[in-house]
Each structure stands twice: as C-alpha cells, then as structure tokens.
Amino acid sequence: MTDNHDQDTHCGFVAIVGRPNVGKSTLMNHLLGKKLSITSRRPQTTRERIVGVKTEGKHQIVFLDTPGVYASSQSEMDRCLQKTALKTIGMVDLIVFVVECDRFKPADEWIAEQIKKSGFPVLLVINKIDKMDKKEDLLPFIEAMKSRIDVVDIVPVSALKSIQLDTLLEALKSRLPSHPFCFPSDQLTDRSDVFVMAETVREKVFRILGQELPYAAAVSIDKVDEVKKRLDIYATIWVEKESQKPIVIGQQGSRIKKIGTQARTDLESYLDTHVNLQLWVKVKRGWTQDPASLRQFGISGSDD
Ligand SMILES: Nc1nc2c(ncn2[C@@H]2O[C@H](COP(=O)(O)OP(=O)(O)OP(=O)(O)O)[C@@H](O)[C@H]2O)c(=O)[nH]1
Ligand SMILES: [Mg+2]
C-alpha cells in the first residue's frame, strides 16, 4: 500500500454514438448538468467531437459527444462528420450507443455493425421514453435489441426530461477502469470558451431558421474584448450564397436580433458573466463542399 491519492479513483472515456437526432448531445448536456454541446430538431447539429467531463467523488467520466453517423454519405461535410464519429470509437473504454425508443432504422443497424467491429463494450441507451404512448411497448423493444446487439447493459431514459439519468450514471460509473483522473476535477470540457461561443450562435441559427437554411451556416468568433465585468463578443455568421443573407437577417433585422438575444442569454449562463454580442452576416461561396473552408470552420474530420 502507498499513500497514492489516485489509487482508488476511476476514470474512463465514454463515446456517445448514434444516428443523427437521437439525442446524443442532449444526453451529454443533461448528464453534465451544463449546456455544452448544441442541440436541435435537425439532424447533423453536432459537427465535431466534443469532450464533456463529469467528475463526482472518485469517479470521472470523460464523455465524447460525436456527430450523428449516416450509413451512406454524400457531401464532403457528411464524410468529415462520419470520419470524426467513427474515429472516436477507436479510443474509448465504453461506447454508449443511443437509439430512439420506438424505432431501429437501417442507419442504427449500420452503426451497430461498426461498433461491433470495434470490439469495445457497448451500453445501449434507449432514449426519448417520454414520447412513448404505451409503456408496455418498451419491453418487446428491449428484447428485440438484445437479439440484435451484444451489450453490457440497457438503460431506457429520457435525456430531455432527465428520466433515469441517475441509473445511467451509476451504470457508467460501475464500468470505469481504475485510473487517475485525466482532467482536473473542476474542468468541464477540452473546448475553449471561443468554441462554445461560436457553437451557441450556430445553435440559434439552426433553431430559428429551421428548414430555410439547410446546413449552410457556419460561425466564426472574430474578437472577444473583456470590458470591466462584461465580455464583448464579435461574431460572423457565414452563409453560402448572397440570397441567404436576408434570410438570416430577417425583416428589419428581426431574425438576427432574435439569434443574438437567445445566444447572449445562453452565453451569459455558460460564461457566468454579462455579454454584449455583435453579429454580422457574410457570404463564403460553396464552403460546405470545400475542404479548406470546412477546416477553417472546424469540420475537418482530421486528428486533433
Ligand atoms: N421528447 C424527447 N426529445 C428529445 C430527447 N432527447 C433529445 N430530444 C430532442 O431530439 C432532438 C435532437 O437532439 P440532439 O441532442 O441534438 O440529437 P443528436 O443525436 O445530438 O443529433 P446530431 O448532433 O445531429 O447527431 C432535439 O430536438 C432534442 O430536444 C428526449 O429524451 N425526449
Ligand atoms: Mg449532437
């Protein structure tokens, strides 16, 4: 026996994987108790792997939220997102495979295959149980899942309504290897505040513009000034075509104002300070098909 303080700590990397829109980012945020990763009703909201660290007592779970994976990918952006998600599977202690409670689609099937190939233990999370009309439908679904994939555990949850998340957390904790903490216990993420700023603005663009701007928006943070007890943040929303600019701006600037107000509120909560957010809209042609632009906006699918 030594006095090594780290000896009875447990720490492990847990990748959250699943098809787009099943609630991976919502799950991570609610497990962390802090809104780190952006979410929306539209698929392909998450574009990069995001680390979220949950430390409780002697346990540290390092979550990796990943972009949703499609079976077949068409655009350069799709390919990058897919690469990022699949690469994450290669470096973890446990995979949390998220599916929706009422359906198992071909895309889920395909991901199950990839996960199986990886050889890592899998914990299946059946999400959105708050949406189930008949609770008795859950049992047959669980049985069907068991026959499809080999898993160490199955936990039905509602990420959004925080149902059964304590059960899930305990299940995860019990599977962490004995290991010193990988992050300081007060650290939430490996991402910079600037990254979260850009993502928060992008979430509002996604949510407020709905179907009108399919995947064509990226956000850059141009400058951050600390002014007394306030942060002045200057950001640009990039679109692909001139015709998309007025869509983002809205009538008499109504949309951009809404995007700004909602993003500021979230950022004030995340950064715990007053925020003044200035937004611009600019055009960068064809950026979703251009590898250099994708890199610039952090969608490279490369090692980092
Ligand atoms: N009813 C219900 N909705 C949920 C639940 N969890 C997530 N959602 C909703 O599902 C949608 C997608 O959630 P996200 O967390 O963005 O999904 P994701 O899997 O991260 O999606 P990508 O990043 O695009 O792969 C959002 O509208 C969420 O509010 C849940 O437990 N119940
Ligand atoms: Mg996501």
Side-chain angles (χ1 to χ4, degrees), residues 19-21 40-46 68 70 81 206 211 215:
R19 118 177 105 70
N21 222 32
S40 89
R41 235 178 269 150
R42 297 168 58 196
Q44 296 195 321
T45 304
T46 305
Y70 281 113
L81 294 178
F206 250 57
Q211 299 301 320
Y215 312 113

Side-chain angles (χ1 to χ4, degrees), residues 20-21 23-26 37-40 44-47 65-68:
N21 222 32
K24 299 177 295 297
S25 301
T26 307
S37 194
I38 69 169
T39 68
S40 89
Q44 296 195 321
T45 304
T46 305
R47 286 185 182 167
D65 182 20
T66 66

Side-chain angles (χ1 to χ4, degrees), residues 3-12 54-61 173-174 176-182 185:
D3 288 339
N4 187 348
H5 174 72
D6 288 330
Q7 242 188 7
D8 54 355
T9 58
H10 300 259
C11 177
K54 173 93 180 172
T55 308
E56 251 179 23
K58 293 183 182 306
H59 295 87
Q60 182 170 76
I61 311 174
K173 278 188 196 168
S174 73
L176 296 176
S178 282
H179 197 278
F181 285 174
C182 296
S185 53

Side-chain angles (χ1 to χ4, degrees), residues 207-278:
R207 288 186 173 195
I208 291 166
L209 300 189
Q211 299 301 320
E212 286 187 68
L213 199 73
Y215 312 113
V219 176
S220 64
I221 301 297
D222 310 319
K223 194 160 72 124
V224 180
D225 284 338
E226 205 169 339
V227 189
K228 291 189 184 153
K229 283 184 179 156
R230 190 189 73 207
L231 278 186
D232 286 351
I233 303 170
Y234 301 83
T236 302
I237 299 167
W238 296 92
V239 292
E240 282 199 305
K241 297 181 200 138
E242 201 61 46
S243 61
Q244 291 165 335
K245 258 171 92 168
I247 298 175
V248 179
I249 294 167
Q251 286 208 333
Q252 279 137 23
S254 58
R255 277 208 175 124
I256 190 102
K257 197 169 159 206
K258 200 167 164 190
I259 292 166
T261 308
Q262 292 190 8
R264 178 176 53 75
T265 307
D266 277 14
L267 285 174
E268 287 188 335
S269 158
Y270 183 82
L271 300 164
D272 203 17
T273 183
H274 290 298
V275 165
N276 174 22
L277 180 61
Q278 302 278 340

Side-chain angles (χ1 to χ4, degrees), residues 97-285:
F97 178 28
V98 184
V99 296
E100 280 177 311
C101 62
D102 52 351
R103 59 195 120 173
F104 194 78
K105 295 185 177 184
D108 297 301
E109 193 93 55
W110 187 81
I111 295 164
E113 280 299 309
Q114 307 309 308
I115 291 175
K116 199 169 162 190
K117 278 189 217 156
S118 77
F120 291 106
V122 182
L123 188 151
L124 183 72
V125 164
I126 301 175
N127 191 27
K128 307 196 185 182
I129 57 166
D130 58 291
K131 274 172 56 177
M132 287 193 107
D133 293 331
K134 291 189 283 172
K135 299 286 171 224
E136 54 273 26
D137 288 346
L138 192 57
L139 219 56
F141 188 77
I142 291 175
E143 288 308 316
M145 286 292 128
K146 275 186 187 160
S147 64
R148 274 189 154 114
I149 19 174
D150 223 3
V151 293
V152 295
D153 206 349
I154 298 181
V155 187
V157 305
S158 165
L160 194 64
K161 310 264 176 193
S162 288
I163 299 169
Q164 286 252 95
L165 293 191
D166 286 345
T167 309
L168 175 59
L169 216 47
E170 288 312 310
L172 294 174
K173 278 188 196 168
S174 73
R175 293 196 160 73
L176 296 176
S178 282
H179 197 278
F181 285 174
C182 296
F183 290 88
S185 53
D186 60 351
Q187 189 169 340
L188 177 74
T189 180
D190 65 336
R191 295 293 174 169
S192 65
D193 284 349
V194 166
F195 173 83
V196 177
M197 290 171 197
E199 286 288 277
T200 304
V201 175
R202 193 164 68 80
E203 178 187 82
K204 303 313 171 194
V205 173
F206 250 57
R207 288 186 173 195
I208 291 166
L209 300 189
Q211 299 301 320
E212 286 187 68
L213 199 73
Y215 312 113
V219 176
S220 64
I221 301 297
D222 310 319
K223 194 160 72 124
V224 180
D225 284 338
E226 205 169 339
V227 189
K228 291 189 184 153
K229 283 184 179 156
R230 190 189 73 207
L231 278 186
D232 286 351
I233 303 170
Y234 301 83
T236 302
I237 299 167
W238 296 92
V239 292
E240 282 199 305
K241 297 181 200 138
E242 201 61 46
S243 61
Q244 291 165 335
K245 258 171 92 168
I247 298 175
V248 179
I249 294 167
Q251 286 208 333
Q252 279 137 23
S254 58
R255 277 208 175 124
I256 190 102
K257 197 169 159 206
K258 200 167 164 190
I259 292 166
T261 308
Q262 292 190 8
R264 178 176 53 75
T265 307
D266 277 14
L267 285 174
E268 287 188 335
S269 158
Y270 183 82
L271 300 164
D272 203 17
T273 183
H274 290 298
V275 165
N276 174 22
L277 180 61
Q278 302 278 340
L279 294 176
W280 279 266
V281 185
K282 292 181 191 163
V283 180
K284 188 163 196 132
R285 276 177 206 291

